[in-house]
Amino acid sequence: MTDFLVIVALAALGAAAVGLPAAPAVRALRRRSVVLSLFAVAAMAVAAMAAGTVAVAQAMFLSGHDLGVVMAVVGVSGVVSLAAALLFGRRIAAGSRELARSARTVGSEGGFVAPTEPPTAELAALSRALEDASGRLAAARERERAIDASRRELIAGISHDLRTPLAGLRAMAEALEDGVAEDTGRYHSRMRVEVDRLAAMVDDLFELARIQAGALALTLSRVSVYDLVDEALAGAQPLARASGVRLVDGGVAPLPVRVDAQQITRVLSNLLVNAIRATPADGTVAVSARQEADRVVLAVEDGCGGIPPEDLARVFDTGWRGAPARTPRSPTPGFARAGGAPFGESGAGLGLAIVRGIVEAHEGRATVRNAGAGCRFEVELPAGEAAGPVP
């Protein structure tokens, strides 16, 4: 046992005598090529093994022949080890260079093209990470393009919508100024409506900016869906009556929800006005509410004739107007609210974008699909606590 410990100690001393001085050299190569680093590590290991073997052989007083055999074995093993380290290092270096070339394609139009066979598991994991990053960049680029297109459409639409009432206001002001207006009261009333329309457009833009900036402050309370629908129906009834559209109850239960009542009333008002303006005379707009698990689903179904399938995904985009059949009609003086704009939205294609923003701020979801003679807008909201009466 003592001889064995002596042999271990001699081998350790011999290996340390060579390995410790070589360690700084290996450290100095840490920023060099992986081929050189692997070769240096293998060379240090071979040299340490040879030094330990020689130290033990000398202590054992081996004959010259036996010592030569031992050293020959050590030398051959060392050469094979160094050759294997060199070949493996070159393979890793080649794989790294190929991965570096592929990494330059991240974010390009063609997307990231992963190397066929990465030499190590780490390089394979890095390749997968780069592929995922490239996919996320491509998706972000597509979203950015869609946002830019939507922004351009919004600017074009807002410019047109601003130009129309401003031109009308200028014409009516000039008529009043020149004294050629026969019914000044009618001109004043119409000017008030156009001003209200412009104010509604500005309000919608401001509200949408708050939503997109995440600055929409919600005051949550437990309310009944029935009360929210009743208030929205009361506000939209004059517009429905003037348009010859019937508002019907599709089944609204007094379900509790925890929402900002004012904001959700605006959501329902926008949906109702959108539905009324898109529904022909003698048509119907139905409102319903049902509970699904822990969600309350509000639905507004109109008779617009449906939305083309290719447009369904864009309905809630900012500035989307869709087919002419769904473009809001010009407001009529009789539809003006006291001290406010015409019912619902400004006609600038912002109403449904505001609907989605408010609903998502409540951690809900707004969807649309074609149903029957028109389309069905659904708003999912978190249900309120079932216990206790709804105020």
Side-chain angles (χ1 to χ4, degrees):
M1 187 65 181
T2 303
D3 293 340
F4 179 77
L5 293 177
V6 170
I7 292 173
V8 170
L10 289 173
L13 288 174
V18 174
L20 290 178
V26 174
R27 179 178 175 83
L29 296 174
R30 66 185 185 280
R31 297 186 184 277
R32 301 284 183 171
S33 169
V34 67
V35 179
L36 187 58
S37 297
L38 282 177
F39 186 81
V41 170
M44 185 182 72
V46 170
M49 180 188 67
T53 303
V54 169
V56 172
Q58 293 292 339
M60 294 176 66
F61 302 104
L62 294 179
S63 65
H65 177 269
D66 292 343
L67 181 60
V69 171
V70 170
M71 295 309 299
V73 172
V74 171
V76 171
S77 300
V79 170
V80 172
S81 299
L82 291 175
L86 183 61
L87 291 175
F88 190 63
R90 289 172 62 86
R91 184 184 174 194
I92 293 178
S96 300
R97 287 192 296 269
E98 185 179 359
L99 183 58
R101 286 192 297 269
S102 298
R104 296 189 185 99
T105 64
V106 173
S108 65
E109 291 294 332
F112 174 74
V113 180
T116 53
E117 294 183 2
T120 65
E122 290 78 9
L123 290 179
L126 179 57
S127 177
R128 289 192 297 270
L130 289 173
E131 191 171 10
D132 292 342
S134 179
R136 289 194 297 271
L137 284 174
R141 185 166 53 246
E142 289 300 320
R143 287 195 299 270
E144 186 66 24
R145 287 174 179 171
I147 291 172
D148 286 341
S150 176
R151 187 181 297 115
R152 287 193 295 269
E153 292 178 5
L154 174 62
I155 292 174
I158 289 292
S159 300
H160 176 271
D161 288 330
L162 286 173
R163 189 182 301 115
T164 301
L166 287 174
L169 286 170
R170 175 180 292 179
M172 287 183 284
E174 290 176 352
L176 290 171
E177 187 178 34
D178 296 340
V180 298
E182 297 179 358
D183 186 354
T184 58
R186 179 174 174 272
Y187 272 68
H188 287 136
S189 177
R190 183 62 192 179
M191 290 175 71
R192 170 62 183 274
V193 170
E194 295 297 342
V195 170
D196 287 343
R197 183 182 177 189
L198 290 172
M201 195 180 305
V202 173
D203 289 343
D204 283 350
L205 284 170
F206 179 71
E207 187 72 8
L208 187 62
R210 285 204 308 159
I211 291 172
Q212 293 180 343
L216 182 64
L218 300 178
T219 304
L220 302 180
S221 61
R222 184 169 175 266
V223 296
S224 170
V225 168
Y226 188 87
D227 294 336
L228 297 175
V229 172
D230 185 63
E231 185 175 351
L233 287 174
Q237 189 63 50
L239 176 60
R241 190 181 303 113
S243 302
V245 176
R246 297 186 305 277
L247 298 178
V248 299
D249 184 351
V252 180
L255 301 169
V257 289
R258 184 169 178 80
V259 297
D260 186 314
Q262 182 179 1
Q263 294 293 346
I264 297 302
T265 299
R266 179 169 189 172
V267 166
L268 291 172
S269 297
N270 280 5
L271 291 178
L272 283 171
V273 169
N274 184 72
I276 292 169
R277 288 175 171 170
T279 301
D282 296 328
T284 61
V285 172
V287 185
S288 62
R290 69 183 187 278
Q291 185 159 4
E292 293 184 355
D294 60 342
R295 316 288 281 180
V296 172
V297 181
L298 298 171
V300 175
E301 189 168 344
D302 59 35
C304 68
I307 299 175
E310 62 271 15
D311 285 344
L312 283 174
R314 299 189 56 214
V315 167
F316 293 99
D317 288 351
T318 303
W320 183 85
R321 295 166 186 261
R326 295 201 62 85
T327 301
R329 309 180 190 116
S330 298
T332 304
F335 298 161
R337 294 180 301 198
F343 290 103
E345 58 184 69
S346 59
L350 305 179
L352 293 179
I354 291 174
V355 165
R356 181 176 62 180
I358 293 175
V359 171
E360 289 180 351
H362 284 81
E363 298 182 356
R365 188 166 67 105
T367 58
V368 61
R369 59 182 172 86
N370 289 324
C375 56
R376 182 182 179 89
F377 287 84
E378 291 189 344
V379 171
E380 295 183 10
L381 296 170
E385 300 85 354
V390 181

